[in-house]
Amino acid sequence: MAGDLAKQAILDGADLILALGGDGTINEIVNGMAHSGVPLGILPAGTANVLAMELGLGGNAARAIPKIAECAPERISLGRLRNANGERYFICMAGVGLDAEIVYNINADLKKAIGKVAYWIAGFSHLTKRIAEFQTAVGGERRKVGFALASRVRNYGGDLTIASGANLLEHEFETILFDGGNPLRYMVYFLGVAIGTLPRMNGITIDHSRRLEFDAPTDRRIYVQVDGEYAGHLPATIEIVDQSLTLLVPADFRERLGLKLTEALMPAAG
C-alpha cells in the first residue's frame, strides 16, 4: 500500500516524498504522512487529478516535473473521516450520498478504458431513480439531504467547480448541502454546476464548517467517498485536523487564492 511505503520512507529519513498518481494514490500516501513534517510533492497521473488541477500543476506528469522545483512548502490542514471502517484522512473532499454511491458502483474496467466519462455515465444512470436521503448536522443545525459535500478545494472531478469558496490553505471545509430526493431536481442542480449558478439555487445550502455529523437511515445504506475513493458508509463524522501535512505548492498559489501569509497560517477558532 502506498501509505505504508510513505510511512516507512519517513522512518528511514526521507526529507521529501513525491507522489506519482491520481487522487486515490495521493490519498493513500497522505494517510501515511499525516502529522509528519516531510513535504509532499504531486506528480499527476490519474483519472481526474483534482489536487493537481487545483494547484495549477495540470494533468500531465512530465509537464509538472519542472514546476516541482519552483514549489514552496505550505503547512495545510487535512480532513478526517471517522466511521465503522475506522479513521481516514483526506486532502481534497468528502462526499456523502449521491456521488459516493456513484463511486461505490463505478465499473473499474470502464473507468480504466474511458476515464472520467465513466463517472458521467454512472451519474446519469443514478438519476433514473429516487435519491436516498439522510440526516446531517452542521454547526448545530440538523437537516435532511440527498447529497453533502465537504470540500477543501474548488475543483471537482477535474473539470467542474462546486465549492467555489473552498480554500486549501484555510482551516475549514466549504460545505454544500443538496436538498431533496427527486432525481429531476438533481439534474437541475448539475446544470447549475455546469453554468455556475448553483449557489443561487433553491435547495442548496452553502456554508463553512470544521465538523459535520451524519446519521444512517434505517432503510438504506448511505455511502461515503473521500478524494474520489469509496470510504465506507454512515454513520460518520468529518472534521478538520489543523496543520497536519506539509504540501509543496506553486510559488504563486497563495497569490491566486488572494491570501496573505497570516490568514492561512492561523487556525480558525473552534
Side-chain angles (χ1 to χ4, degrees), residues 3-57:
D4 294 330
L5 294 174
K7 186 178 294 185
Q8 187 59 52
I10 292 170
L11 292 174
D12 291 342
D15 55 14
L16 171 66
I17 291 178
L18 294 178
L20 174 65
D23 295 301
T25 299
I26 293 169
N27 179 268
E28 292 183 17
I29 292 171
V30 163
N31 275 273
M33 295 182 65
H35 302 293
S36 78
V38 177
L40 170 65
I42 305 301
L43 296 175
T47 303
N49 298 309
V50 167
L51 180 58
M53 298 299 287
E54 182 79 7
L55 293 175
L57 297 173

Side-chain angles (χ1 to χ4, degrees), residues 188-209:
V188 176
Y189 289 153
F190 290 164
L191 176 61
V193 170
I195 65 177
T197 60
L198 185 72
R200 301 190 295 275
M201 285 187 163
N202 291 331
I204 297 296
T205 301
I206 298 177
D207 206 342
H208 290 83
S209 176

Side-chain angles (χ1 to χ4, degrees), residues 80-83 96 134-145 148 150 173 175 177 209-216 222 224 233-240:
R80 180 169 59 197
L81 165 71
R82 286 175 168 157
N83 62 4
V96 181
F134 54 93
Q135 291 286 334
T136 181
V138 184
E141 181 181 349
R142 300 186 64 83
R143 62 189 303 154
K144 191 176 183 181
V145 300
F173 302 114
T175 58
L177 304 180
S209 176
R210 288 173 50 86
R211 179 181 171 88
L212 302 89
E213 299 178 3
F214 303 95
D215 294 331
I222 304 295
V224 184
H233 54 82
L234 302 187
T237 61
I238 293 171
E239 61 191 350
I240 286 287

Side-chain angles (χ1 to χ4, degrees), residues 6 11 22 34 51 64 73 95 118 124 141 146 156 162 169 183 191 236 239 246 260:
L11 292 174
L51 180 58
F124 282 113
E141 181 181 349
Y156 184 89
I162 293 184
L169 300 183
L191 176 61
E239 61 191 350
T246 300
K260 296 179 181 179

Side-chain angles (χ1 to χ4, degrees), residues 48-245:
N49 298 309
V50 167
L51 180 58
M53 298 299 287
E54 182 79 7
L55 293 175
L57 297 173
N60 183 285
R63 293 176 183 173
I65 288 173
K67 298 177 182 179
I68 291 293
E70 301 171 357
C71 287
E74 288 277 1
R75 194 68 177 170
I76 68 167
S77 297
L78 293 173
R80 180 169 59 197
L81 165 71
R82 286 175 168 157
N83 62 4
N85 282 24
E87 180 178 283
R88 185 165 173 179
Y89 293 94
F90 59 94
I91 193 167
C92 291
M93 69 186 72
V96 181
L98 178 58
D99 77 336
E101 185 161 345
I102 293 170
V103 167
Y104 178 78
N105 289 293
I106 196 75
N107 183 297
D109 292 334
L110 186 64
K111 176 184 173 183
K112 185 176 181 180
I114 63 176
K116 288 181 286 188
V117 178
Y119 287 97
W120 286 104
I121 293 172
F124 282 113
S125 71
H126 278 77
L127 295 180
T128 61
K129 55 187 177 182
R130 186 167 182 82
I131 307 301
E133 297 175 275
F134 54 93
Q135 291 286 334
T136 181
V138 184
E141 181 181 349
R142 300 186 64 83
R143 62 189 303 154
K144 191 176 183 181
V145 300
F147 173 30
L149 184 69
S151 189
R152 304 271 293 119
V153 296
R154 303 174 187 183
N155 192 277
Y156 184 89
D159 303 307
L160 301 173
T161 297
I162 293 184
S164 59
N167 191 319
L168 194 60
L169 300 183
E170 292 185 347
H171 307 281
E172 61 186 4
F173 302 114
E174 178 156 289
T175 58
I176 302 93
L177 304 180
F178 295 72
D179 289 352
N182 188 326
L184 294 178
R185 192 169 192 175
Y186 283 81
M187 290 184 182
V188 176
Y189 289 153
F190 290 164
L191 176 61
V193 170
I195 65 177
T197 60
L198 185 72
R200 301 190 295 275
M201 285 187 163
N202 291 331
I204 297 296
T205 301
I206 298 177
D207 206 342
H208 290 83
S209 176
R210 288 173 50 86
R211 179 181 171 88
L212 302 89
E213 299 178 3
F214 303 95
D215 294 331
T218 57
D219 60 341
R220 181 79 177 267
R221 176 166 287 189
I222 304 295
Y223 298 113
V224 184
Q225 64 89 4
V226 296
D227 293 341
E229 298 292 312
Y230 170 68
H233 54 82
L234 302 187
T237 61
I238 293 171
E239 61 191 350
I240 286 287
V241 183
D242 286 323
Q243 299 190 29
S244 45
L245 182 76

